[in-house]
Amino acid sequence: MSDTETAAGGSSTVHDVAILGSGIAGSMLAAVLARNGVKVLLLDASSHPRFAIGESTIPYTLVCLRTIAERYDVPEIKTLATFTNATKVLGPKFGVKKHFSFLLHHEGQDQDPKEVNQFGTPGLLHEASHLYRQDTDAYMYHVALKYGAVGRQNFRVADVDFDDAGVTLSTAEGDQYRARYVVDASGHRSPLAEKFDLREDPCRFSHHSRSIWNHMTRVRPTDELFSHRAPEDTPPSPWYQGTVHHMFERGWFWVIGFDNHPASRNPLCSVGLTLDERTYPKSADMTPEEEFYHHAARFPDIARQFEGARPVRSWTSTDRLQYSSKQCAGDRWFLLSHAAGFIDPLYSRGLSNTAEAINSLAWRLLDAVKDGDFSRERFDYVDRMQQGLFDYNDSLVNASFISFSDYDLWTAVYRIWSWGANAGTYRLSEGLFKYFKDGRDQHFKDLEKAPHLGLYWPDHDGFKGLYDSLIEECLKYEAGKVTAREAADTVYAQLESANFVPKHFGFAERDLRFMIPNAKVMAKTARWMATEADPVVKRMMQGNAREAVKAKLKGRRIF
């Protein structure tokens, strides 16, 4: 079909790129491509606004969003990178996120204040938020349309037909559209995954979990549960002003408040339960709501948090969440983000992984549109990187679920996760700082030159070895080959001796529960950097600190 031929019930235009799914992933990619002159068709089986989860941002996500906004000249994406901007532009519906918090629970017992952790997101560097997804997704969809993408909602794709010149997308009623390339960002029910039989059966991931979730009103703020605690057991930042994880053996509850800041007028709170379906098989005798409260009742403090809370929609209950695909890229097609695979909401990796994939996919698509080469080989890097993101997240979450049975081992997992995520954020920030100075896109391409694709800190062999040791020790503990204490001792010995893990801050200090450092701690860490630190770590941390000071002097944040 030529550019002037008309598809039945469709359009005479042959689009450069068709995107299936207009959620935040598809709409963001559509906005980037359309802003840079690509003829984009954005199709969706549903319509906006609509309920979505995946609301918690992390510093890595925010730097990815800022990178995409700057690199591809889509300033609207920066709106999602800070709580202040999201509230100002989209309205007072977002929650603030000042930290990640983790509280370990044991059945029938009050929560032990010695078995908690809180890791602060540095407010001067990043202003994380809880995104109200029905508004952010609709916002990005309309941004894509503003830049020229053609949107079609309530368009359910029944067939995707490829030929040497492109792809034809059809509905059951016979409506058709034509494109040169297709990106599937539609999620689990991916038409391309079905067409090419891409799902791995069994799924290759080690982790197992299912989930139950909803939005609720009248959720009791977490701090009210523990208002009687001593000052030394009270974290520097209120529990409810961040993403709260209530952990227990082989499972966890999330509490993500949209109502946790005076600027918000949103009464809702996102709540969910994720648990290993092998340990906790799905009940045939309980509704999803009954099962949610059944598990909450096992833990006195969790039960009190949800007592009197009211759901605002029907509960969602899933079977096993994990699915994987044999490949993400082919000739004239790509599976983006959740169309390719999914692990677990733990650590809020969904938006982070999506943004990272878009950043690497977009420039390759722009080049492909120019020269007409849409072969699989061109997108091989993005395929390998995205598969790496899934695989490393799988091993980390699996190790975390294993460690939930022992607080000491859990803290070792927590520290390696938190430092890896921070190191990766520093690394990505370096590329963005360089770009700010000279506008050279090569700085971003240089970041792709890494041997351990998918690992948060993908180009440091020492951290890779530390990470692998953590996973090995958790698996040995699960197999009964070592005790939890022995596994934790091995990991902590490596943490304490590694010159690429900052000292005094809390990344290597076994008994430090709250990682929101004061000026005294920062001074000690600065001395460590000057005398003992790995040169790469010293460069990254000092560089980010310099930019933070510059931003503070100008009365703003870096991102």
Side-chain angles (χ1 to χ4, degrees):
M1 183 181 294
S2 71
D3 282 9
T4 58
E5 289 181 282
T6 303
S11 166
S12 61
T13 301
V14 175
H15 299 272
D16 294 318
V17 178
I19 299 175
L20 311 182
S22 67
I24 198 167
S27 291
M28 189 179 300
L29 179 62
V32 166
L33 297 177
R35 177 71 177 91
N36 288 275
V38 175
K39 292 186 291 186
V40 179
L41 176 65
L42 185 54
L43 303 175
D44 200 289
S46 184
S47 60
H48 290 287
R50 62 189 183 216
F51 172 62
I53 61 168
E55 301 115 332
S56 178
T57 62
I58 59 178
Y60 195 93
T61 308
L62 306 180
V63 181
C64 278
L65 293 176
R66 183 62 184 272
T67 297
I68 295 168
E70 298 291 344
R71 187 179 192 182
Y72 301 107
D73 193 23
V74 187
E76 292 85 354
I77 293 175
K78 287 189 288 187
T79 297
L80 307 184
T82 69
F83 169 79
T84 298
N85 285 344
T87 298
K88 180 179 179 180
V89 176
L90 277 74
K93 297 186 180 178
F94 300 86
V96 70
K97 177 173 179 174
K98 294 186 176 181
H99 55 77
F100 280 90
S101 287
F102 302 90
L103 302 93
L104 186 63
H105 296 258
H106 302 281
E107 188 162 359
Q109 301 176 25
D110 290 340
Q111 203 283 320
D112 183 348
K114 304 303 180 186
E115 294 191 342
V116 301
N117 300 97
Q118 185 178 101
F119 176 70
T121 56
L124 183 61
L125 294 171
H126 312 285
E127 192 189 39
S129 63
H130 295 156
L131 298 178
Y132 189 47
R133 285 288 302 276
Q134 73 172 48
D135 285 8
T136 57
D137 292 21
Y139 168 76
M140 283 311 309
Y141 176 71
H142 294 132
V143 169
L145 300 191
K146 183 187 81 170
Y147 282 122
V150 175
R152 293 291 181 269
Q153 299 189 84
N154 300 308
F155 184 99
R156 187 173 296 279
V157 173
D159 187 45
V160 186
D161 184 42
F162 290 83
D163 55 50
D164 291 341
V167 55
T168 302
L169 303 118
S170 309
T171 67
E173 295 74 28
D175 295 332
Q176 292 184 340
Y177 287 93
R178 184 77 174 162
R180 300 164 70 195
Y181 191 92
V182 61
V183 175
D184 191 336
S186 62
H188 178 253
R189 294 182 178 86
S190 158
L192 291 188
E194 180 178 356
K195 179 178 181 64
F196 294 119
D197 190 27
L198 297 175
R199 293 288 188 252
E200 294 176 320
D201 188 13
C203 169
R204 72 175 186 268
F205 300 139
S206 299
H207 179 58
H208 281 254
S209 66
R210 62 184 180 90
S211 196
I212 303 169
W213 66 74
N214 209 329
H215 282 173
M216 305 185 82
T217 61
R218 300 186 182 182
V219 174
R220 189 176 184 182
T222 314
D223 305 271
E224 292 184 8
L225 307 177
F226 310 116
S227 60
H228 60 285
R229 288 187 171 174
E232 62 269 22
D233 293 326
T234 302
S237 187
W239 292 115
Y240 197 61
Q241 288 188 358
T243 302
V244 176
H245 306 72
H246 290 299
M247 309 172 303
F248 57 94
E249 187 163 3
R250 291 285 178 176
W252 64 286
F253 288 83
W254 76 73
V255 180
I256 300 176
F258 303 116
D259 58 343
N260 65 357
H261 191 276
S264 176
R265 298 294 180 268
N266 191 338
L268 301 182
C269 178
S270 177
V271 304
L273 165 63
T274 302
L275 63 175
D276 189 326
E277 84 282 359
R278 299 167 300 181
T279 306
Y280 308 100
K282 200 170 186 177
S283 172
D285 300 323
M286 288 187 281
T287 67
E289 182 174 26
E290 288 170 341
E291 189 175 16
F292 180 89
Y293 277 101
H294 165 75
H295 287 289
R298 297 167 52 209
F299 311 100
D301 293 304
I302 297 177
R304 289 193 298 127
Q305 178 146 45
F306 297 123
E307 185 178 3
R310 296 183 178 181
V312 299
R313 53 177 47 86
S314 298
W315 288 80
T316 298
S317 177
T318 74
D319 295 315
R320 187 186 178 192
L321 288 169
Q322 294 71 46
Y323 56 92
S324 57
S325 298
K326 304 167 189 174
Q327 64 189 74
C328 302
D331 292 338
R332 296 190 180 273
W333 61 265
F334 190 85
L335 296 187
L336 178 62
S337 189
H338 295 164
F342 188 77
I343 307 299
D344 193 281
L346 189 65
Y347 301 123
S348 305
R349 290 290 295 272
L351 288 173
S352 169
N353 291 357
T354 295
E356 190 165 3
I358 288 173
N359 186 39
S360 293
L361 176 63
W363 72 264
R364 290 174 167 84
L365 271 175
L366 292 173
D367 286 352
V369 168
K370 291 176 183 176
D371 63 27
D373 177 9
F374 294 98
S375 63
R376 173 182 177 177
E377 291 74 19
R378 178 163 226 154
F379 304 95
D380 177 67
Y381 169 86
V382 195
D383 190 338
R384 290 185 292 111
M385 183 203 69
Q386 190 166 253
Q387 296 283 23
L389 289 169
F390 291 138
D391 288 336
Y392 278 114
N393 193 24
D394 172 50
S395 60
L396 177 64
V397 174
N398 187 53
S400 301
F401 267 58
I402 292 169
S403 75
F404 287 170
S405 64
D406 183 87
Y407 176 74
D408 194 32
L409 181 57
W410 149 249
T411 63
V413 177
Y414 157 79
R415 294 183 201 286
I416 290 177
W417 157 74
S418 59
W419 170 236
N422 271 263
T425 303
Y426 290 149
R427 178 179 179 271
L428 187 60
S429 298
E430 277 193 322
L432 189 52
F433 296 149
K434 293 176 183 177
Y435 179 81
F436 285 153
K437 291 177 181 178
D438 61 21
R440 294 179 59 238
D441 190 71
Q442 187 61 42
H443 298 307
F444 300 125
K445 293 179 180 178
D446 287 343
L447 290 172
E448 295 185 355
K449 300 172 184 176
H452 313 300
L453 294 180
L455 193 63
Y456 259 138
W457 194 5
D459 59 356
H460 196 283
D461 291 340
F463 179 75
K464 172 65 161 56
L466 177 63
Y467 180 88
D468 288 346
S469 177
L470 170 72
I471 302 305
E472 180 183 2
E473 291 302 317
C474 287
L475 292 176
K476 286 165 62 177
Y477 166 60
E478 182 182 39
K481 297 179 179 179
V482 297
T483 65
R485 179 72 187 204
E486 289 168 339
D489 284 347
T490 298
V491 177
Y492 270 108
Q494 296 175 30
L495 274 168
E496 292 161 3
S497 65
N499 70 342
F500 53 84
V501 178
K503 302 305 184 286
H504 309 293
F505 195 98
F507 295 116
E509 286 68 41
R510 194 166 188 162
D511 297 324
L512 187 62
R513 290 172 293 166
F514 306 130
M515 292 170 62
I516 303 180
N518 54 32
K520 183 178 179 180
V521 169
M522 294 299 290
K524 289 183 177 180
T525 300
R527 286 195 294 272
W528 170 85
M529 279 195 293
T531 59
E532 301 177 44
D534 178 320
V536 173
V537 175
K538 179 178 179 179
R539 186 197 72 227
M540 292 195 307
M541 293 186 71
Q542 288 183 342
N544 274 259
R546 280 195 302 270
E547 295 298 328
V549 171
K550 290 179 186 178
K552 184 176 182 180
L553 292 174
K554 294 179 181 179
R556 61 175 177 82
R557 290 181 175 85
I558 294 179
F559 303 115

